Every structure is written in C-alpha cells, then in structure tokens.
C-alpha cells in the first residue's frame, strides 16, 4: 500500500485532514501522526513555518517513514487579482522567490542550491510531473468549498511562490505578481518540492487563500484561516481519494 506524507505548516491546518490520527513519535521537536484518508495510509506532520522546517520534515517523511509521495496542505496569501479568499491553488510550479544575489539594489533570483553567478542560465522553480498534471486536469473533481467572500470558491492549477517573509504589503504584492504572474505566496512549498526532487519523490502542494497579501480589509483573520484551512484540506483529501497524489 502506498504511504503518503501529508504536511501542513500549523497544527490548525492539520486537524481538518482526518479524524482518526494516532500519535506516532516526536522527532526534532515535530510530532508525527499516523492515520487514514480514503483508506490510504498517511503520515501527518505540522512542520512549522518556513523553508527550513519544511525541508526537515519532508526529509523525515521520505527517509524515516518511507513515504512514497508528499502532499502539502495549508493556507496562503493571494497574488493574482482574479482570485478571492477561499479559492484553492494546486501548484503546477513553485518558485523560491527569496534566494539569489543582490545587484543594483534588486534581488536577482536563482534556483536554490546553485551558485548565484551571472554565468548560470537556469530554469527557476520546481514543476509538477507532466503526467500527474494531465491526470489532474482531466479527472479531478473539485469538492464543494466554504465561502469567505461572496464569490463561490474555485480550484485552479497555478504558480506558487515561496519565501521566508510573510507578505502584508500591497506594493510588493503587485511587484511579485507582475514579475512571476503567480497565484499565491507562502513559506514552505518550494523547500518541500526541492527535497522531493532530490529524492525523486512525487509532490503536490495545495493552498487555499486566507488573505490577499495586503493589510487586513475587515474580514477576521482567524475566521479566514479556519475556512481556508478547511478548503485546502478538503481538496487534499479529494486528491488522495481519487489517487491523484502520484502516478
């Protein structure tokens, strides 16, 4: 039976994924739980915020718990003006937007782990397996999601940015969208994808928008986080149920 590693950043995001979790063990200050989603064995962990925490837990899920695929479920900030809070983005690609070198007062982004040299010409980001993406596009059936805004929530395939800074700035949001045309921004996904690529393990990243990466606009953040966490978990569980986490 395939074993799936399921990661969240915060414990509040993990509790929506399955109700029959059993504590397994604590490693490096992180609690790992076992459970089942749609009769499939899963190992769950709330890794904590940021790329280092995500990479650490991804390595443990693959190497220590022998998970054959990893899935990240959680909340994110919105970048795309066409999306609303509560919408869900499944990553076709994920880019670490804060690794590189400073040049003329601007950060020139490079692929993590590579020497940030002007001589290197490289493709940025980590990309969903093409065959898996084709399966998602042809057969994924989205569940009914909870509303945060007046608009009915949607599930889209898109681009997600990862960085170790929480974005709460309208100007920077616009700059990042103009540069990358990305749909969402968060703090862990690219690190997990990098580890998965190194271990040759399939990955999926599911993020629901809890905010629009700007100063709060009146919606209580706690309520938005709760609904977005639920929506992301609902989509993640549907992906597992439909066996769309790996080829």
């Amino acid at each position: 039976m395939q074993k799936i590693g399921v990661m969240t950043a915060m414990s509040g995001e993990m509790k929506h994924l399955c109700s029959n979790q059993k504590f397994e063990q604590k490693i490096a200050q992180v609690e790992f739980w076992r459970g089942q989603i749609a009769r499939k064995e899963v190992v769950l962990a709330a890794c904590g915020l940021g790329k280092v925490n995500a990479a650490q837990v991804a390595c443990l899920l693959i190497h220590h718990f022998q998970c054959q695929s990893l899935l990240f479920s959680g909340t994110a900030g919105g970048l795309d003006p066409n999306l609303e809070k509560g919408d869900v983005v499944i990553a076709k690609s994920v880019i670490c937007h804060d690794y590189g070198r400073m040049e003329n007062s601007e950060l020139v982004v490079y692929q993590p782990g590579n020497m940030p040299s002007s001589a290197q010409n490289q493709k940025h980001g980590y990309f969903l397996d093409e065959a898996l993406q084709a399966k998602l596009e042809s057969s994924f059936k989205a569940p009914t999601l909870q509303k945060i805004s007046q608009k009915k929530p949607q599930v889209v395939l898109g681009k997600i940015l990862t960085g170790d800074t929480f974005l709460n700035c309208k100007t920077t949001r616009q700059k990042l969208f103009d540069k990358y045309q990305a749909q969402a921004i968060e703090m862990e996904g690219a690190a997990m994808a990098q580890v998965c690529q190194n271990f040759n393990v399939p990955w999926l990243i599911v993020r629901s928008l809890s905010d629009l990466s700007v100063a709060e606009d009146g919606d209580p953040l706690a309520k938005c986080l709760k609904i977005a966490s639920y929506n992301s978990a609902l989509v993640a569980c549907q992906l597992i149920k439909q066996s769309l986490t790996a080829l």
Side-chain angles (χ1 to χ4, degrees), residues 161 167 172-181 185:
L161 303 184
L167 180 60
T172 305
R173 178 200 188 203
Q174 187 63 51
K175 286 182 178 179
L176 288 172
F177 180 71
D178 291 343
K179 182 176 182 178
Y180 294 103
Q181 295 295 296
I185 185 167

Side-chain angles (χ1 to χ4, degrees), residues 94 115 216:
V94 57
M115 179 67 70
E216 277 306 299

Side-chain angles (χ1 to χ4, degrees), residues 72-104:
F72 203 108
S73 174
T75 60
L79 293 178
D80 189 335
N82 293 312
L83 298 182
E84 300 284 347
K85 286 181 281 189
D87 288 345
V88 175
V89 182
I90 302 174
K92 290 193 297 184
S93 64
V94 57
I95 296 174
C96 180
H97 71 87
D98 62 351
Y99 177 89
R101 66 175 183 171
M102 293 301 299
E103 184 175 315
N104 298 322

